[in-house]
C-alpha cells in the first residue's frame, strides 16, 4: 500500500527546529547543529514487511536520512509474512508487521539465534468499503461479515444478508493470504486467522481493491483505514455494529478509544538485538520513537496513546540491554 511520500514542508516542520535557533535581523531563524565528524553515522538499515506500514517506514527513512545522509535506509513491502521470513533469516534489521509474530515465526527466529523485541508504532483500523452508488448499505453487523466472509460461505447477493440491501450481486475484494491484514481480519471476523472463503479477489495491492470497489456497484472490500481516507472520493466507508446495536464508523477517535471493534489494531516494528548494536540502527529506532506522533499523522495512521508510547520506549531500553 503506497502513500504520498512525506512532503518537504512536513519534513522541515519535524526536524527544522531541533537544532536550535538564533536572532537574525530581529527574526528567529533555525540554525543547524554542528556536525561532529567523529560521531557521524554511516552504513545501512534494512526494513521490510507489511505493505500497510510501508508509508510509515518510508516517511521515517526519509526524515532520518535528511539528518543522516551517509546512512542508506531501504524499505521493502513483501508483506508481514515475507518480512518475518527475512527477519528471522537475519537478512533485515527491522520487520514491519500488521499483526503479532506467530509461533512458527518465533521458532524460526529462535533457531537462527535472532533475539528481538516488538515495538508498537501506531494504531490502525481496517475499513470496510463499498461502491459510493450503493446507498442501501451503510452499516454491517459482525455476524453479517462472518456470514459473508467465513470459509464455506456461498453468499453471492446482498439480499442474502438483509432484504433491505436489495437484489444486487455481491463481489468481494480483500487482502492476499500472505498479508497480516488478511490474518487479522479473518481472525477478528471469522474466529480464526486465514479461515476465509477463497472465491474473492485477493491482492497485496490495495489499489486493485480500490479499482474493483469503485468500478463495481455491488462490491465489498477491506483494507487499512489510511487507504480508505486517501480514496474517500472513490469508495464509501461502512460502520460496524459489534453486537450492541450501535454502528461505529472508523476514525482516529474510534480506533484509539477502541470503540471501533473488532477491527482496530496496533501496528508493529520488530527490531533485532544484533542489529541494534549498530549505531545507525539504534539511532534510527530512537529517532522513530521520538517522532511517533508526526510519523503516524503523516502516514495517515492513528497516533499511540501516552501509555503506548511509554511502553514502546521501555521496550527499546530492554532490547538495548540484550
Amino acid at each position: 500500500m503506497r502513500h504520498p511520500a512525506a512532503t518537504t514542508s512536513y519534513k522541515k516542520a519535524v526536524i527544522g527546529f531541533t537544532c536550535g535557533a538564533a536572532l537574525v535581523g530581529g527574526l528567529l531563524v533555525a540554525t543547524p547543529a554542528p556536525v561532529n565528524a567523529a560521531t557521524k553515522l554511516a552504513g545501512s538499515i534494512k526494513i521490510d514487511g507489511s505493505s500497510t506500514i510501508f508509508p510509515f517506514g518510508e516517511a521515517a527513512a526519509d526524515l532520518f536520512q535528511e539528518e543522516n545522509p551517509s546512512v542508506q535506509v531501504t524499505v521493502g513491502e513483501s508483506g508481514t509474512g515475507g518480512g518475518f521470513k527475512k527477519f528471522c533469516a537475519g537478512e533485515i534489521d527491522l520487520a514491519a508487521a500488521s499483526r503479532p509474530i506467530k509461533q512458527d515465526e518465533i521458532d524460526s527466529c529462535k533457531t537462527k539465534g535472532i533475539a528481538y523485541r516488538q515495538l508498537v508504532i501506531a494504531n490502525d483500523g481496517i475499513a470496510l468499503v463499498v461502491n459510493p452508488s450503493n446507498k442501501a448499505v451503510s452499516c454491517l453487523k459482525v455476524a453479517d461479515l462472518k456470514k459473508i466472509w467465513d470459509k464455506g460461505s456461498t453468499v453471492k447477493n446482498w439480499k442474502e444478508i438483509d432484504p433491505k440491501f436489495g437484489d444486487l450481486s455481491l463481489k468481494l475484494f480483500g487482502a492476499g493470504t500472505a498479508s497480516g491484514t488478511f490474518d487479522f481480519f479473518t481472525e477478528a471476523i471469522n474466529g480464526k486467522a486465514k479461515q476465509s472463503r477463497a472465491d474473492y479477489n485477493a491482492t497485496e495491492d490495495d489499489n486493485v481493491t480500490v479499482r474493483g470497489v469503485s468500478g463495481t456497484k455491488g462490491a465489498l472490500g477491506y483494507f487499512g483505514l489510511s487507504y480508505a481516507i486517501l480514496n474517500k472520493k472513490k469508495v464509501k466507508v461502512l460502520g460496524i455494529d459489534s453486537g450492541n446495536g450501535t454502528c461505529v464508523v472508523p476514525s482516529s477517535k474510534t480506533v484509539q478509544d477502541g470503540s471501533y471493534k473488532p477491527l482496530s489494531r496496533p501496528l508493529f516494528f520488530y527490531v533485532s538485538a544484533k542489529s541494534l548494536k549498530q549505531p545507525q540502527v539504534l539511532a534510527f529506532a530512537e529517532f522513530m520513537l521520538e517522532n511517533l506522533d508526526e510519523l503516524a499523522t503523516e502516514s495517515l495512521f492513528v497516533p499511540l496513546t501516552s501509555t503506548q508510547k511509554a511502553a514502546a520506549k521501555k521496550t527499546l531500553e530492554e532490547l538495548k540491554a540484550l
Side-chain angles (χ1 to χ4, degrees):
M1 176 175 65
R2 291 188 180 271
H3 293 238
T7 62
T8 301
S9 60
Y10 166 73
K11 293 173 182 175
K12 290 179 178 178
V14 174
I15 64 175
F17 293 95
T18 60
C19 302
L23 281 173
V24 179
L27 299 175
L28 187 65
V29 178
T31 57
V35 177
N36 184 342
T39 59
K40 187 176 181 181
L41 294 172
S44 64
I45 302 170
K46 296 180 181 179
I47 305 169
D48 205 333
S50 169
S51 60
T52 298
I53 306 174
F54 177 83
F56 184 102
E58 193 175 49
D62 287 347
L63 293 176
F64 183 76
Q65 287 176 135
E66 282 206 352
E67 288 192 350
N68 302 279
S70 295
V71 179
Q72 181 182 14
V73 186
T74 57
V75 186
E77 49 178 336
S78 60
T80 295
F84 277 133
K85 284 182 181 179
K86 294 180 180 181
F87 183 72
C88 293
E91 298 173 4
I92 59 176
D93 304 301
L94 298 94
S98 57
R99 59 158 172 81
I101 191 169
K102 296 180 179 179
Q103 187 59 53
D104 62 326
E105 294 160 342
I106 293 173
D107 295 340
S108 178
C109 276
K110 186 175 181 180
T111 299
K112 295 296 179 65
I114 304 295
Y116 61 86
R117 286 291 186 274
Q118 169 190 285
L119 296 177
V120 179
I121 51 91
N123 295 306
D124 187 29
I126 295 179
L128 296 160
V129 295
V130 295
N131 188 284
S133 67
N134 189 342
K135 307 300 183 183
V137 183
S138 60
C139 184
L140 289 173
K141 299 175 183 177
V142 172
D144 295 334
L145 292 168
K146 181 176 174 63
K147 185 177 181 180
I148 294 169
W149 284 99
D150 207 0
K151 186 175 182 179
S153 173
T154 59
V155 174
K156 294 183 178 180
N157 194 296
W158 281 100
K159 68 181 180 181
E160 296 176 60
I161 304 303
D162 193 319
K164 71 181 181 182
F165 292 157
D167 184 4
L168 183 64
S169 293
L170 176 65
K171 190 171 184 179
L172 300 173
F173 296 83
T177 57
S179 167
T181 297
F182 173 78
D183 291 338
F184 181 84
F185 181 83
T186 50
E187 184 170 4
I189 298 302
N190 301 331
K192 184 179 180 180
K194 297 187 182 299
Q195 180 175 296
S196 173
R197 64 189 296 173
D199 59 336
Y200 74 99
N201 295 276
T203 179
E204 300 293 345
D205 184 353
D206 291 335
N207 288 298
V208 173
T209 297
V210 170
R211 289 194 295 270
V213 173
S214 63
T216 309
K217 185 176 181 179
L220 171 67
Y222 68 85
F223 40 53
L225 174 60
S226 56
Y227 214 71
I229 294 172
L230 281 174
N231 293 280
K232 60 185 178 182
K233 293 184 179 180
K234 297 179 181 179
V235 298
K236 183 175 82 171
V237 177
L238 302 181
I240 295 179
D241 177 354
S242 61
N244 60 6
T246 301
C247 190
V248 180
V249 177
S251 67
S252 292
K253 180 180 183 301
T254 60
V255 166
Q256 195 170 54
D257 67 20
S259 59
Y260 180 66
K261 53 186 179 182
L263 295 182
S264 294
R265 61 177 176 173
L267 300 174
F268 312 99
F269 266 117
Y270 285 74
V271 186
S272 161
K274 181 179 179 181
S275 292
L276 205 66
K277 301 298 182 185
Q278 301 176 59
Q280 75 275 18
V281 178
L282 174 59
F284 178 80
E286 292 178 333
F287 175 88
M288 184 171 61
L289 293 189
E290 288 301 319
N291 293 281
L292 284 176
D293 286 351
E294 294 86 351
L295 292 170
T297 300
E298 172 67 14
S299 306
L300 301 181
F301 293 124
V302 179
L304 298 182
T305 64
S306 57
T307 300
Q308 286 176 312
K309 283 188 282 189
K313 291 180 180 180
K314 181 180 179 181
T315 298
L316 184 61
E317 291 303 312
E318 293 173 353
L319 184 60
K320 288 162 62 176
L322 291 182

